[in-house]
Amino acid sequence: MQQEQANFHACDKASEGLKAEETKSSSPEQTSLPRNSGNPDNSEEAQETIKKRRRRSSKLEIRSKLIKVKSQILKRGISSFYSSPKQQRGSAPNNSSRRSRYIGISKNNTHWQALINIGRTKKYIDIFVSEQEAARTYDLYAIAIKGVKAGLNFNYTAAEMIDGIDHYLQHGKVMISS
């Protein structure tokens, strides 16, 4: 009886070892993001790593929705879009290094990521080097998905929003105003 249990445990351990080897060989190649030290070469390297990650992820498709929003702005004569303050969680004022002051943005290691809630599901938008770029991208996705009454991070005039939509439709990325 004891020998049967010992053989059973030996078989379990052997199968666990095989499973661990299978997961190691079948997992996609992991890329680590370089630390951003302010060095321009390092920033270019970070941008290349981000581009590689963007190719692997499936993006939310918002082009058709942005075209509809643009026509709504022009037809209704909407003059501006207003930001809404981010609701703070917890009692401690922004003590986490991962929290952003913008809606839908959090820090992921050394980069900022943008996420948006659709229904009860969080959808990943993308990762960015700067917090403001992530926040402006979130705003564009929020307008596309939630409509003209979406909670935004920045105030926009109708002309700025139309320019941002046009830039996204032409270039596939958000225009960053400096």
Side-chain angles (χ1 to χ4, degrees):
M1 177 84 172
Q2 289 179 350
Q3 189 173 11
E4 289 176 5
Q5 288 179 348
N7 288 340
F8 179 72
H9 290 297
C11 288
D12 280 349
K13 288 181 182 177
S15 66
E16 286 175 8
L18 287 174
K19 287 179 185 176
E21 287 179 13
E22 288 175 1
T23 57
K24 285 180 186 176
S25 65
S26 66
S27 65
E29 188 177 311
Q30 302 257 337
T31 59
S32 61
L33 290 174
R35 299 273 178 203
N36 190 359
S37 61
N39 184 348
D41 295 333
N42 197 10
S43 177
E44 290 174 13
E45 186 178 315
Q47 290 291 343
E48 282 300 314
T49 305
I50 288 173
K51 283 182 185 177
K52 287 178 186 176
R53 280 195 173 182
R54 284 181 181 156
R55 282 186 227 128
R56 282 190 267 163
S57 66
S58 60
K59 284 184 134 181
L60 291 172
E61 184 53 47
I62 62 167
R63 289 183 177 273
S64 60
K65 293 178 182 180
L66 284 175
I67 293 169
K68 288 179 186 176
V69 168
K70 182 180 173 183
S71 66
Q72 284 179 354
I73 293 169
L74 295 172
K75 285 180 185 176
R76 291 186 189 172
I78 298 170
S79 61
S80 58
F81 297 86
Y82 297 103
S83 64
S84 59
K86 180 179 177 180
Q87 296 177 354
Q88 293 294 323
R89 296 168 110 193
S91 59
N94 205 7
N95 58 356
S96 175
S97 62
R98 293 182 61 163
R99 287 213 179 136
S100 169
R101 60 181 176 211
Y102 300 113
I103 300 168
I105 310 302
S106 63
K107 194 163 190 179
N108 185 0
N109 292 326
T110 59
H111 291 82
W112 295 95
Q113 69 179 4
L115 299 144
I116 190 165
N117 290 324
I118 302 174
R120 292 185 176 192
T121 308
K122 279 188 180 180
K123 295 289 186 177
Y124 173 81
I125 296 173
D126 221 334
I127 60 173
F128 304 91
V129 174
S130 78
E131 186 179 16
Q132 289 76 22
E133 181 182 8
R136 291 202 183 273
T137 303
Y138 172 87
D139 286 352
L140 194 66
Y141 275 76
I143 287 287
I145 292 169
K146 298 177 181 179
V148 294
K149 296 192 179 209
L152 304 177
N153 291 308
F154 300 101
N155 293 327
Y156 299 96
T157 64
E160 289 173 338
M161 186 56 72
I162 289 173
D163 288 344
I165 290 171
D166 287 340
H167 188 270
Y168 183 86
L169 293 174
Q170 289 175 356
H171 303 287
K173 62 181 184 177
V174 175
M175 178 175 51
I176 304 299
S177 60
S178 47

